[in-house]
Amino acid sequence: MVVGLEQKEQTDLLFHALSDSTRRDIIIRAMVQDYSVSGLANFYEMSFAAVQKHVAVLERAGLISKHRRGREQLVRSNTDTIRTAYGLLEEMEKLWRERIDRMSEILAEPEEGERT
């Protein structure tokens, strides 16, 4: 899995955004329905400004977007980026499974001088 610099930076933003449980929860809520930032803030025991910062991190990573409805800005999940994260995790899992399979093969090989 060789990635260019721009893709590496985007991948870093993506996994940084996903590393926080509050941000993961915001994504899940935004997958179910659109929320205003103040509506999201009602779910957490933190300031509105703190929730706003979490939303900004998610938006920078492309996991959510904001759109206007009247005077409100609503948060919506970006399923394409979520699928990208899933795909990257699948690639990593495949690499690790291949390594484990190879280690199993190596451990199963008889050592030199051993009878089979």
Side-chain angles (χ1 to χ4, degrees):
M1 172 172 59
V2 178
V3 295
L5 184 59
E6 185 175 311
Q7 187 178 359
K8 180 189 177 312
E9 290 171 357
Q10 187 58 36
T11 302
D12 289 347
L13 285 172
L14 181 63
F15 284 111
H16 169 71
L18 291 170
S19 70
D20 183 86
S21 62
T22 299
R23 291 192 288 264
R24 290 190 305 271
D25 191 66
I26 289 170
I27 293 168
I28 290 167
R29 290 181 190 281
M31 289 174 78
V32 174
Q33 74 179 60
D34 296 352
Y35 283 97
S36 65
V37 178
S38 59
L40 285 169
N42 291 328
F43 292 108
Y44 308 104
E45 294 197 14
M46 61 181 72
S47 69
F48 172 81
V51 173
Q52 203 168 23
K53 286 180 182 178
H54 282 300
V55 167
V57 169
L58 292 168
E59 191 173 24
R60 245 187 331 276
L63 288 160
I64 58 141
S65 60
K66 290 193 275 188
H67 66 280
R68 271 213 181 280
R69 186 175 65 195
R71 295 188 316 170
E72 286 186 311
Q73 274 204 326
L74 300 178
V75 173
R76 172 181 294 159
S77 69
N78 183 342
T79 54
D80 289 338
T81 306
I82 293 167
R83 280 190 199 102
T84 297
Y86 182 75
L88 290 167
L89 290 170
E90 279 186 320
E91 285 181 40
M92 288 180 208
E93 179 185 15
K94 182 181 176 217
L95 288 171
W96 278 105
R97 288 190 183 278
E98 288 171 359
R99 285 183 177 186
I100 290 169
D101 290 346
R102 182 65 187 133
M103 285 191 307
S104 296
E105 291 170 11
I106 291 169
L107 292 172
E109 290 175 3
E111 290 187 30
E112 280 187 41
E114 274 188 13
R115 288 190 228 178
T116 55

